[in-house]
Amino acid sequence: MSTQCAFCGKTSIKLLKCGRCTSCSYCGPQCQKKDWPTHKVKCKRQNYILRVDLHPRFIINPRITRTLSCPATATFAEFHEALLVAFGWANTHIYDFDVFDHSDTSGRENSFSWGEPIFKITDISTVEDCCGFGPPYRDSSKVTLFKILDDPKTKGKTIHYNYDLGDGWEHVISCTGRTDATAPFVCLEGEGHGCAEDVGGHIGWKELLEAYDSQNPTKAQKEDMTWFEQRASNKDPEGLRGELKWKWDRDRINQVLAELNVPSGATTTLPTFSHSVLLISLDKQPFFDDMYSQVMAKLRSKADVTEVTHIASAMKHLLAAHQFAAVIVTDPEVMDNGFVAVQEKLVDYARAGGTVIFGFHCSSFVRPNDLARFFKETWSVNWQSGAYTRSMLSLNHRANPVFMSRRGPNLPQQFSMKALHLIGTRAEDRIYISSPGSTESPAVFAKYGDGNLGWIGDVNTEDGTTELILTMCGV
């Protein structure tokens, strides 16, 4: 501990610490005031170390906990996004934070225990008019962590994060210390596999674990396991048998937390371009970066590229999607019914004038029935899977005028592509065709609202496809 004043150098045993960063000490207010012009450049509030326990009274074998380093100036809305990532929630339900007038961190026995909180913090747009009954609400997008955690009236008080008010997932938050300031949230420690969305609260979670522990599961237990592995919003194909119930991935969590910290329309690499492109990769394959390295290098040479790999970071960037020239969906995971919120934002973005393109791994991994259902129910177009074949393609010079106005000199007139073709498209939306009068195409670009909807069915990263992507994006 320093015993010298950071400004005058005087030695004293009664130094006063800077109240914001606590890293500098002064012999009195006058020295602190004189040093402020210099000190303010590096003076940042320390992060809070927050331990978050999911139903600590009921979920114990294993416990499900995450410990996060949290920026003091982050809002509770941003904290909510970080908790979605840390616990693996699919962001399909509303939330709130309860601030209680006590310091008990054991968790409630039921929703009526402990009485009403002092106030709630939530997304105000989800609050219904209760005619003045119940605790007051505060806007999560405006209340910062330090305003609650450092306020003498609420400092040290118990805070609960409640997600999915139906299943009632109660996360008990306790502050265990402070650490150096960082821009993103950082996951430090944790325990336990994240819970299944819509499993039925802590009771349903316990029953699901019992199903996996059973040597001779019943028919109902087998159905529950199949549901979790194949259909849950935050499904895990590996299941929860044996040690898998303890499995969690801190590196993956921190990767997505870093995505949340990237400003919409920005990239971490220079130079900066006039166009930005958002890539949504919700089921990114481990070989994606190697397979598409040349395509991505060319795309990054033309535009700022932001890639998101989790529903929380996808939703955050789609809320500011107007900043992007195009949004490219790189795999079919977004077509799953668990990602309705992302689907709705993509439709809104296209209707408002944006360009949404389905490409990269979409054609390789999508199931024909899922593709037809998705485009019919979500986009109201009758696009369906056609031939899966290699063919010599020619540019359709009667194609969509928006696309034709974007094409540059490098777009090939002809090239060979192995691809999944679409049928049910309009003649003018077929960008490349194998022969005059063909009713299917592996490259489709249609007007949608005030924007555009595109499909690229290439499965082999042909050279001509790179220019096709750039043209559809308008970069």
Side-chain angles (χ1 to χ4, degrees), residues 86-306:
F87 284 88
W89 296 122
N91 196 21
T92 57
H93 299 282
I94 62 175
Y95 72 94
D96 62 31
F97 292 88
D98 289 334
V99 181
F100 291 96
D101 192 19
H102 60 73
S103 302
D104 190 326
T105 59
S106 62
R108 294 184 292 182
E109 291 184 11
N110 56 64
S111 59
F112 301 103
S113 303
W114 297 354
E116 296 280 7
I118 307 171
F119 55 85
K120 289 177 173 285
I121 305 171
T122 190
D123 178 354
I124 292 298
S125 67
T126 65
V127 178
E128 297 181 358
D129 185 3
C130 297
C131 302
F133 295 102
Y137 284 88
R138 299 187 182 181
D139 190 340
S140 60
S141 67
K142 296 179 181 179
V143 180
T144 57
L145 296 184
F146 78 85
K147 287 183 178 179
I148 303 300
L149 297 177
D150 279 354
D151 187 326
K153 296 179 181 178
T154 50
K155 185 176 182 179
K157 301 297 185 182
T158 295
I159 300 175
H160 286 181
Y161 167 65
N162 306 300
Y163 174 72
D164 183 357
L165 306 188
D167 276 4
W169 295 110
E170 174 189 279
H171 308 65
V172 180
I173 301 167
S174 54
C175 183
T176 62
R178 305 294 292 268
T179 189
D180 293 342
T182 60
F185 290 85
V186 178
C187 184
L188 305 176
E189 298 175 335
E191 179 182 357
H193 191 294
C195 280
E197 194 101 20
D198 301 315
V199 75
H202 62 84
I203 296 175
W205 177 246
K206 180 181 178 182
E207 292 174 348
L208 182 62
L209 293 182
E210 289 173 350
Y212 277 100
D213 289 340
S214 175
Q215 294 299 318
N216 296 294
T218 65
K219 179 181 178 182
Q221 287 177 323
K222 291 178 180 178
E223 290 174 349
D224 288 343
M225 290 187 286
T226 298
W227 166 81
F228 174 62
E229 294 171 16
Q230 298 180 10
R231 298 190 301 276
S233 298
N234 56 349
K235 61 181 180 287
D236 185 346
E238 292 187 342
L240 297 163
R241 193 172 296 281
E243 295 183 355
L244 290 175
K245 64 174 65 70
W246 276 271
K247 183 179 179 180
W248 70 289
D249 191 339
R250 182 175 64 181
D251 291 340
R252 168 64 177 151
I253 290 172
N254 283 325
Q255 174 193 346
V256 179
L257 291 176
E259 291 177 6
L260 290 175
N261 192 55
V262 177
S264 295
T267 181
T268 55
T269 58
L270 295 177
T272 299
F273 300 93
S274 58
H275 296 295
S276 298
V277 174
L278 176 65
L279 263 63
I280 298 180
S281 307
L282 298 183
D283 188 28
K284 185 175 181 178
Q285 299 300 309
F287 51 86
F288 180 95
D289 290 334
D290 287 339
M291 181 173 182
Y292 294 109
S293 60
Q294 294 184 5
V295 181
M296 293 305 301
K298 190 64 178 290
L299 185 59
R300 288 193 170 99
S301 74
K302 300 290 185 179
D304 289 331
V305 177
T306 299

Side-chain angles (χ1 to χ4, degrees), residues 356-369:
V356 177
I357 303 163
F358 291 86
F360 290 89
H361 276 150
C362 282
S363 57
S364 297
F365 296 109
V366 70
R367 290 176 293 195
N369 289 343

Side-chain angles (χ1 to χ4, degrees), residues 365-375 383-386 420:
F365 296 109
V366 70
R367 290 176 293 195
N369 289 343
D370 290 341
L371 182 148
R373 173 195 53 78
F374 171 70
F375 282 118
W383 293 4
Q384 299 178 45
S385 297
L420 175 63

